[in-house]
């Protein structure tokens, strides 16, 4: 498995912005707009919850992959990518979760 899979996927998602919505699922999401992308994220998040409650590891993996995928579509639609999120996670690494959360609420 490549550690670069997020970068490769992000590049593919960017390339789909110019694709035909009739031939590309991702292009069709971009064409429908942010609300449709967010709806898909909500649906996938619900499916992750259901899978986790079932304890079925394969379902958890598949549904989490779908959630991450649609989240990456949203990030690309917003002009962001996985590097932006990874940088934020890196910034938070080693911080107390409670302290970090309190700092965001200021």
């Amino acid at each position: 498995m490549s550690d670069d899979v997020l970068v490769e996927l992000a590049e593919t998602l960017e390339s789909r912005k110019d694709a035909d919505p009739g031939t590309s699922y991702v292009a069709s999401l971009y064409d429908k707009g942010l609300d449709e992308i967010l709806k898909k994220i909500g649906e996938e998040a619900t499916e992750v919850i259901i899978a986790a409650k079932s304890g079925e590891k394969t379902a958890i993996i598949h549904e989490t992959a779908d959630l991450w995928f649609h989240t990456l579509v949203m990030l690309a639609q917003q002009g962001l990518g996985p590097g932006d999120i990874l940088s934020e996670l890196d910034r938070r690494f080693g911080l107390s979760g409670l302290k970090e959360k309190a700092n965001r609420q200021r």
Side-chain angles (χ1 to χ4, degrees):
M1 178 170 66
S2 169
D3 289 342
D4 296 329
V5 69
L6 289 177
V7 172
E8 292 172 21
L9 182 53
E11 290 171 357
T12 300
L13 294 176
E14 278 297 319
S15 75
R16 296 299 192 268
K17 287 181 176 179
D18 297 323
D20 177 4
T23 61
S24 166
Y25 172 70
V26 173
S28 74
L29 286 174
Y30 290 141
D31 189 57
K32 292 174 186 171
L34 181 61
D35 286 348
E36 185 66 22
I37 295 168
L38 296 176
K39 180 180 170 187
K40 285 302 298 178
I41 291 172
E43 290 171 7
E44 299 304 342
T46 299
E47 291 173 7
V48 167
I49 292 167
I50 293 166
K53 293 286 284 179
S54 77
E56 172 70 36
K57 293 193 184 325
T58 301
I60 295 168
I61 291 167
H62 287 245
E63 298 304 341
T64 301
D66 287 347
L67 176 59
W68 287 16
F69 176 83
H70 287 90
T71 299
L72 288 169
V73 171
M74 179 273 300
L75 289 172
Q77 192 268 351
Q78 295 290 307
L80 299 167
D84 297 297
I85 307 310
L86 293 172
S87 293
E88 175 62 13
L89 289 172
D90 186 53
R91 183 192 70 78
R92 294 181 187 185
F93 191 77
L95 294 176
S96 159
L98 296 175
K99 183 175 180 180
E100 195 281 328
K101 186 175 180 181
N103 287 341
R104 278 189 283 148
Q105 294 176 350
R106 291 182 185 172

